[in-house]
C-alpha cells in the first residue's frame, strides 16, 4: 500500500509540473491539463459541471478537459483506476521531501580507541625444484662354497674336492617415464675348484664370465619397445682341464660382440610374480674374435684367422619368477642363427633363500653350438651344472 502511494505522489508531482507549464503557454494559470497526465481518476466535478445548468465556468480549456474525461468515463470505465475521494484520503505530497539534499554526518578521529593488531611478517620460503632422477642403480653379490670329502677307503670310491664361486651383478637403468629407456647390466662370475687327482693344476676355474648387456628402447605401445641391443662377453682367465696342460679358453679368446635391431617386450605375468624382458632382433650382427690363434678352430673360425662376422637373427630373454617367499627361478635364454650356424644358451638358476644373507643355489646350463667340434656322445650339445651354499647381498 505504501508503495502505491509513493508512485501516486510521483505521478501527481509530474502532472502538476506539466500542467503549470501548459497553463502558462495558453495564458491559463490554473493548469487544467494535469488531469490528462495523471492515471485516470473519477473526478466529482466533471459530472457536476456537465449536469449543473447554472455553471459559470467559461474557461474553454476546462470545458474541453471535462468533456474529454466524461467521454472516457462513459465509454471506457475500465480505465478508471482511482476516485477523487480516494485521492483525498491519500493526502497531499510533502514538499519538504522534494529537492532536499541528503547530508551525511562524518566524524573523524585522530586515533582509534584500540590499536590495530600488528600483522606478522611472513618469512620468505625458499622453493627448490630438483631435476628428476631417471636413473635407477642396483646390484647384488654372492659367494658360494662347495665341499666334498671322500676318504681313501670309501667303499664306492670317489674323490674329495673343494669349490668356490663368486658373482657380482650391477645394473644402471634409465627410464624417463615417457618414451625412452636405456638398460645396462654387467655380470661377472669367477669360480675355482681343486681336486687331488689333478696333478698338473693346483686349482682351475669352474665358472668364468664377463658379460655386458646394453639396450636402448623407444616405446611403441604399453609393453613393446623398438630396441637396439648390444651384447658383449668374454672371461677373466685361462680355461683348463684336469691333468692337461692345454689351454681351452682365455681372456678375449673368445670375445663375442652381438648387435641386434628389433623389438623388446616387457614381461609382467601372474600379478608381476614373473617379470623380465624378451628381445626379438630379426637383424643381428655377431662378431667373434680370438686372441690366441691356436683356439680359432675351437670357436668356428677358420684356421689362421682370428675374426668371424655373421649376419643373422637373435632372441634374448631374461625372466625372473618368484615362486614363493623362499624359491626364485632366474632364467636367461640366448639364441643366434646366421642360417649357417646356430648358437643357443639357456642359463637357469634356482635360488633358495635360507635366511636374509644365506642362500643355496642350483645352476643348470645347457648349451648348443654347432660351430664347435662335435662330441661323440653329446654331439653339439654341452652341459654344465652345480649346486652351492653361501652368502648373498643385495644393494
Amino acid at each position: 500500500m505504501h508503495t502505491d502511494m509513493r508512485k501516486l505522489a510521483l505521478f501527481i508531482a509530474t502532472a502538476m509540473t506539466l500542467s503549470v507549464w501548459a497553463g502558462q503557454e495558453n495564458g491559463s494559470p490554473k493548469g487544467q491539463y494535469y488531469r490528462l497526465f495523471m492515471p485516470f481518476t473519477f473526478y466529482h466535478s466533471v459530472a457536476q459541471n456537465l449536469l449543473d445548468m447554472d455553471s459559470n465556468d467559461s474557461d474553454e480549456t476546462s470545458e474541453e478537459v471535462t468533456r474529454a474525461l466524461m467521454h472516457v468515463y462513459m465509454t471506457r470505465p475500465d480505465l478508471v483506476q482511482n476516485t477523487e475521494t480516494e485521492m483525498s484520503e491519500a493526502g497531499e505530497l510533502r514538499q519538504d521531501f522534494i529537492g532536499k539534499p541528503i547530508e551525511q554526518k562524518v566524524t573523524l578521529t585522530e586515533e582509534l580507541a584500540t590499536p590495530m593488531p600488528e600483522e606478522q611478517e611472513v618469512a620468505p620460503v625458499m622453493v627448490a625444484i630438483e631435476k628428476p632422477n631417471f636413473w635407477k642403480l642396483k646390484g647384488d653379490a654372492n659367494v658360494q662354497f662347495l665341499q666334498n670329502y671322500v676318504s681313501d677307503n670309501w667303499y664306492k670310491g670317489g674323490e674329495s674336492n673343494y669349490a668356490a664361486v663368486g658373482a657380482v651383478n650391477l645394473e644402471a637403468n634409465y627410464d624417463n617415464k615417457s618414451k625412452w629407456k636405456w638398460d645396462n647390466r654387467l655380470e661377472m662370475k669367477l669360480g675355482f675348484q681343486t681336486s687331488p687327482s689333478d696333478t698338473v693344476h693346483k686349482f682351475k676355474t669352474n665358472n668364468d664370465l664377463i658379460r655386458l648387456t646394453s639396450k636402448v628402447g623407444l616405446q611403441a605401445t604399453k609393453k613393446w619397445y623398438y630396441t637396439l641391443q648390444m651384447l658383449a662377453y668374454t672371461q677373466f682367465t685361462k680355461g683348463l682341464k684336469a691333468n692337461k696342460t692345454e689351454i681351452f679358453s682365455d681372456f678375449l679368446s673368445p670375445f663375442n660382440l652381438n648387435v641386434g635391431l628389433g623389438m623388446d617386450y616387457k614381461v609382467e605375468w601372474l600379478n608381476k610374480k614373473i617379470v623380465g624382458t624378451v628381445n626379438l632382433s630379426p637383424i643381428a650382427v655377431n662378431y667373434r674374435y680370438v686372441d690366441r690363434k691356436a683356439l680359432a678352430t675351437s670357436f668356428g673360425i677358420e684356421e689362421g684367422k682370428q675374426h668371424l662376422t655373421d649376419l643373422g637373427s637373435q632372441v634374448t630373454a631374461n625372466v625372473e619368477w618368484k615362486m614363493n617367499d623362499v624359491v626364485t627361478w632366474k632364467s636367461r635364454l640366448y639364441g643366434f642363427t646366421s642360417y649357417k650356424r646356430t648358437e643357443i644358451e639357456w642359463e637357469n638358476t634356482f635360488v633358495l633363500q635360507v635366511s636374509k644373507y644365506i642362500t643355496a643355489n642350483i645352476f643348470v646350463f645347457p648349451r648348443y653350438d654347432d660351430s664347435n667340434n662335435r662330441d661323440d656322445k653329446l654331439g653339439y650339445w654341452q652341459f654344465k651344472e652345480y649346486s652351492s651354499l653361501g652368502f648373498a647381498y643385495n644393494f
Side-chain angles (χ1 to χ4, degrees):
M1 182 64 182
H2 294 291
T3 304
D4 295 337
M5 294 300 295
R6 285 195 295 270
K7 291 182 179 180
L8 179 59
L10 181 59
F11 288 144
I12 293 172
T14 305
M16 288 178 65
T17 303
L18 294 173
S19 65
V20 172
W21 173 78
Q24 291 176 352
E25 290 291 329
N26 294 281
S28 175
K30 296 181 180 179
Q32 298 295 332
Y33 293 108
Y34 81 92
R35 291 180 292 180
L36 300 177
F37 297 97
M38 292 293 293
F40 284 110
T41 304
F42 178 74
Y43 295 99
H44 304 302
S45 59
V46 174
Q48 184 179 356
N49 290 338
L50 290 177
L51 296 175
D52 188 3
M53 301 299 296
D54 297 332
S55 177
N56 295 326
D57 191 356
S58 60
D59 188 356
E60 294 181 1
T61 302
S62 179
E63 292 178 0
E64 292 294 334
V65 172
T66 297
R67 282 194 293 270
L69 290 173
M70 181 54 70
H71 178 73
V72 175
Y73 295 161
M74 298 299 292
T75 59
R76 294 296 303 275
D78 58 292
L79 298 177
V80 179
Q81 300 180 6
N82 304 297
T83 66
E84 187 177 358
T85 303
E86 293 175 345
M87 294 180 63
S88 299
E89 293 176 355
E92 298 180 354
L93 185 67
R94 291 182 59 181
Q95 297 295 327
D96 57 341
F97 284 169
I98 301 176
K100 185 177 180 180
I102 299 175
E103 296 182 357
Q104 296 181 354
K105 293 183 179 181
V106 180
T107 304
L108 299 177
T109 58
E110 294 182 357
E111 186 175 356
L112 295 176
T114 56
M116 293 290 291
E118 296 182 358
E119 295 184 359
Q120 297 181 356
E121 294 184 359
V122 180
V125 178
M126 301 297 294
V127 179
I129 301 177
E130 297 182 357
K131 184 178 179 180
N133 184 13
F134 297 124
W135 284 96
K136 184 177 180 180
L137 307 178
K138 64 179 181 178
D140 62 82
N142 63 80
V143 178
Q144 304 289 316
F145 300 96
L146 176 63
Q147 183 266 337
N148 179 36
Y149 172 75
V150 179
S151 64
D152 295 338
N153 61 347
W154 183 250
Y155 75 104
K156 287 186 178 181
E159 183 180 25
S160 302
N161 60 76
Y162 302 89
V165 179
V168 177
N169 300 315
L170 303 175
E171 291 188 28
N173 301 324
Y174 174 88
D175 188 353
N176 65 358
K177 307 300 181 180
S178 177
K179 290 185 177 181
W180 290 97
K181 72 171 186 177
W182 182 19
D183 298 337
N184 300 276
R185 179 180 176 86
L186 176 61
E187 302 169 81
M188 295 176 288
K189 295 180 182 180
L190 185 60
F192 297 95
Q193 70 177 18
T194 62
S195 56
S197 62
D198 187 359
T199 58
V200 178
H201 310 290
K202 186 175 182 180
F203 58 84
K204 51 188 175 293
T205 59
N206 62 357
N207 205 328
D208 195 352
L209 175 66
I210 305 174
R211 182 167 59 208
L212 174 64
T213 305
S214 183
K215 182 167 50 181
V216 178
L218 173 63
Q219 189 170 19
T221 61
K222 184 178 180 180
K223 293 187 176 182
W224 285 94
Y225 289 81
Y226 301 107
T227 57
L228 177 65
Q229 177 178 268
M230 183 203 71
L231 176 63
Y233 58 94
T234 184
Q235 61 190 61
F236 284 98
T237 187
K238 301 174 183 179
L240 306 171
K241 290 186 178 182
N243 296 313
K244 292 184 178 181
T245 58
E246 182 183 358
I247 297 176
F248 290 86
S249 62
D250 200 354
F251 178 70
L252 296 180
S253 295
F255 168 76
N256 287 275
L257 175 64
N258 188 289
V259 179
L261 181 63
M263 297 196 72
D264 201 69
Y265 177 74
K266 186 177 181 181
V267 176
E268 291 180 343
W269 300 336
L270 298 179
N271 295 326
K272 295 186 178 181
K273 290 185 178 180
I274 301 178
V275 296
T277 59
V278 177
N279 181 266
L280 305 175
S281 298
I283 302 175
V285 177
N286 185 79
Y287 171 77
R288 178 174 293 177
Y289 169 76
V290 176
D291 187 58
R292 291 177 175 267
K293 291 184 178 181
L295 301 178
T297 55
S298 299
F299 299 102
I301 302 176
E302 295 181 7
E303 187 176 357
K305 295 184 178 180
Q306 294 178 275
H307 306 271
L308 174 65
T309 303
D310 291 328
L311 177 63
S313 303
Q314 76 168 17
V315 57
T316 306
N318 288 275
V319 179
E320 181 176 323
W321 181 10
K322 190 173 181 59
M323 299 180 179
N324 50 51
D325 294 337
V326 178
V327 180
T328 301
W329 174 32
K330 299 179 181 180
S331 180
R332 173 187 177 271
L333 175 66
Y334 167 77
F336 174 82
T337 177
S338 64
Y339 309 107
K340 292 184 179 180
R341 70 177 187 88
T342 302
E343 181 180 346
I344 301 174
E345 297 179 347
W346 189 21
E347 301 177 30
N348 298 274
T349 304
F350 295 89
V351 181
L352 177 64
Q353 194 74 36
V354 179
S355 66
K356 184 177 180 179
Y357 298 111
I358 299 177
T359 62
N361 291 353
I362 298 176
F363 183 73
V364 181
F365 185 5
R367 186 177 186 274
Y368 179 89
D369 188 356
D370 57 8
S371 65
N372 284 349
N373 298 326
R374 181 180 176 85
D375 185 78
D376 295 336
K377 295 181 179 180
L378 299 176
Y380 294 113
W381 283 99
Q382 304 170 19
F383 190 80
K384 184 177 184 180
E385 179 272 336
Y386 69 84
S387 58
S388 59
L389 177 69
F391 301 95
Y393 179 72
N394 298 323
F395 53 90

